[in-house]
Amino acid sequence: MRIGILGGTGPEGKGLAVRWAWAGEEVLIGSRDAGRAQQSAQEVLALCPGGKVRGALNSEVAQQGEIVVVAVPYQGHKETLTALRPALAGKILVDVVAPLAFSRGRAKALPVPEGSVAQQAQAVVPEARVVSAFHTISAHDLLTPPSPIECDVLVCADDAEAKKVVMALAEKIPGVRAVDANGLECSRYVEELVALLLNINRVYRGSRSMVRIVGLAGASSARP
Amino acid sequence: MRIGILGGTGPEGKGLAVRWAWAGEEVLIGSRDAGRAQQSAQEVLALCPGGKVRGALNSEVAQQGEIVVVAVPYQGHKETLTALRPALAGKILVDVVAPLAFSRGRAKALPVPEGSVAQQAQAVVPEARVVSAFHTISAHDLLTPPSPIECDVLVCADDAEAKKVVMALAEKIPGVRAVDANGLECSRYVEELVALLLNINRVYRGSRSMVRIVGLAGASSARP
């Protein structure tokens, strides 16, 4: 499966690229700047020798990716997707973006007119199969393969088939359990959870806090 | 420590009463109806024979409690606290209320003008030492003592001393680890998390989902 990552030069996008390349997937790292994309691809290859990874412009990545991940800053989210809409039609679009702002060192979740960033993606690209995921996984931990990351990835989507594909993609990362967190309407709670985790990291210095859901009956995966 | 629970006849309030009575604390169960309060106290005593538990009117509970927990439905939160303000001055006020509504079976977090229910409590009773906690612990599990509940309780407060007291109170429940989730401003994310967990329970039927924070450096407690 060829996975394209829009904004793949940021830590979250690059981290996911590393883990999927490690799992043998073909990964395209996108940027508005072809040079920066290629440089990030080199960094990913350094962490994952022999991986199938290359850098390209976001526009090419949107075109060539079979699954496309959007990992740009919230501030550029709407604009990026609006420009790429035709290329994204019919594709699984994985949104990992949290609507964060920082003031006096504290993270704060910004209100999103559509309800959540993932719903904004769906509004901008109605033809895409939007799946919200990977918000709460630590970029730092993603960038240290192949150590397992013992956490849950919360996945929200209205398209059941697309959700299943992305849950399987999450579980390619050792230690990760994918949890079906209901429809796209619930993405808001997951996106805002990022602000909570960042503020918890401020209390417990040196933490990279993530979540596990406990008390789950009959979860899809055997872990944990 | 004498703990008063406003709205102690609901499952969350009653569940906390059971666990604290089990830990040897004196618990006052409050209601607007003295008869219902006494009936709930009997139910708690049935689960916790020999416990120091009695029922009383909310107004007496606010007066006599050294720590006061507010566990009323969101719809009655502001009105309840407004009426009891004089009795609550200077006390630790533990807010466990989530601002939920349900439509087509789905839970949804309502916007709260003050930012969160806990901040609403602080606005209504500025003289109280408000601590937000216990939102994500399952009432069902609280009501089955003495089984341990393997989960984290996320605690938000601006008053560091009061926060410490409530974290210790949380860890009187076997299996529970209290996590310092920063200031009252963060309560919003914890309150909204309840909607996410309830919607996850709809996906995984029979679940009573709760959270554990992983990747926490130097947490106050040894658990887990």
Side-chain angles (χ1 to χ4, degrees):
Chain A
M1 213 142 44
R2 199 182 309 119
I3 307 167
I5 305 182
L6 306 172
T9 57
E12 196 77 14
K14 210 191 297 178
L16 290 168
V18 168
R19 294 300 184 146
W20 289 326
W22 200 276
E25 305 291 334
E26 185 182 347
V27 182
L28 304 177
I29 295 201
S31 169
R32 285 174 302 181
D33 178 316
R36 287 192 56 216
Q38 275 148 23
Q39 191 195 317
S40 289
Q42 290 310 314
E43 289 165 26
V44 169
L45 280 169
L47 287 166
C48 184
K52 285 174 278 180
V53 183
R54 61 190 173 82
L57 287 169
N58 277 338
S59 54
E60 294 171 60
V61 165
Q63 205 76 54
Q64 293 173 26
E66 293 168 294
I67 291 181
V68 179
V69 177
V70 52
V72 300
Y74 172 56
Q75 286 67 20
H77 179 265
K78 195 170 211 161
E79 192 192 351
T80 302
L81 293 183
T82 302
L84 301 174
R85 176 176 171 182
L88 297 171
K91 291 187 182 171
I92 294 177
L93 179 60
V94 184
D95 205 310
V96 312
V97 179
L100 296 182
F102 294 84
S103 81
R104 288 168 293 127
R106 268 200 192 159
K108 204 182 149 89
L110 298 169
V112 180
E114 291 81 359
S116 64
V117 179
Q119 286 167 299
Q120 179 175 283
Q122 190 67 82
V124 171
V125 194
E127 310 81 8
R129 307 164 72 191
V130 176
V131 179
S132 151
F134 301 108
H135 298 83
T136 59
I137 194 166
S138 149
H140 180 283
D141 287 0
L142 286 170
L143 287 164
T144 54
S147 317
I149 309 180
E150 300 294 341
C151 77
D152 287 349
V153 164
L154 307 174
V155 183
C156 304
D158 295 332
D159 181 320
E161 267 311 305
K163 188 193 279 181
K164 216 175 275 180
V165 171
V166 176
M167 288 177 75
L169 214 50
E171 295 193 346
K172 287 188 183 281
I173 304 168
V176 166
R177 178 181 67 171
V179 171
D180 181 343
N182 215 307
L184 224 46
E185 216 178 79
C186 287
S187 182
R188 174 187 145 200
Y189 310 121
V190 182
E191 294 171 20
E192 298 193 349
L193 189 48
V194 181
L196 182 68
L197 295 174
L198 292 175
N199 289 320
I200 287 176
N201 290 348
R202 277 174 56 83
V203 176
Y204 300 91
R205 301 275 165 171
S207 294
R208 300 187 299 272
S209 64
M210 299 179 278
V211 291
R212 279 282 194 204
I213 305 297
V214 292
L216 211 54
S220 60
S221 161
R223 303 195 202 89
Chain B
M1 214 143 42
R2 200 184 306 120
I3 307 166
I5 306 181
L6 307 172
T9 57
E12 195 77 13
K14 209 190 298 176
L16 290 169
V18 168
R19 294 299 184 145
W20 288 325
W22 200 276
E25 306 290 335
E26 185 182 347
V27 182
L28 303 177
I29 295 200
S31 169
R32 285 173 304 181
D33 178 315
R36 287 193 57 217
Q38 276 149 22
Q39 191 196 319
S40 289
Q42 290 310 313
E43 289 166 26
V44 169
L45 280 169
L47 287 167
C48 183
K52 286 174 279 181
V53 182
R54 61 189 174 83
L57 287 170
N58 277 338
S59 53
E60 294 172 62
V61 165
Q63 204 76 56
Q64 294 172 26
E66 293 169 292
I67 291 180
V68 179
V69 177
V70 51
V72 300
Y74 172 56
Q75 287 67 21
H77 179 265
K78 195 170 211 160
E79 192 191 351
T80 301
L81 293 184
T82 302
L84 301 173
R85 177 177 170 182
L88 297 171
K91 291 186 181 173
I92 294 177
L93 180 60
V94 184
D95 205 310
V96 312
V97 178
L100 297 180
F102 294 85
S103 80
R104 288 166 294 126
R106 266 198 195 162
K108 203 180 149 87
L110 298 169
V112 180
E114 292 81 358
S116 63
V117 178
Q119 287 167 298
Q120 178 174 284
Q122 190 67 82
V124 171
V125 193
E127 309 80 8
R129 307 163 71 190
V130 176
V131 179
S132 151
F134 301 109
H135 298 84
T136 59
I137 195 166
S138 150
H140 180 284
D141 287 359
L142 286 170
L143 288 164
T144 55
S147 318
I149 309 180
E150 301 293 342
C151 77
D152 287 348
V153 165
L154 307 175
V155 183
C156 304
D158 295 332
D159 181 320
E161 268 311 304
K163 189 194 276 182
K164 216 176 274 182
V165 171
V166 176
M167 288 177 75
L169 214 50
E171 296 194 346
K172 287 188 182 283
I173 304 168
V176 166
R177 178 179 67 170
V179 171
D180 181 341
N182 215 307
L184 224 46
E185 217 177 79
C186 288
S187 182
R188 176 187 144 200
Y189 311 120
V190 182
E191 295 171 18
E192 298 194 349
L193 188 50
V194 181
L196 181 69
L197 295 174
L198 291 175
N199 289 320
I200 287 175
N201 290 347
R202 279 174 54 84
V203 176
Y204 300 92
R205 302 275 166 173
S207 294
R208 300 187 299 272
S209 65
M210 297 179 280
V211 292
R212 278 282 194 204
I213 304 297
V214 292
L216 213 54
S220 61
S221 162
R223 305 193 200 90

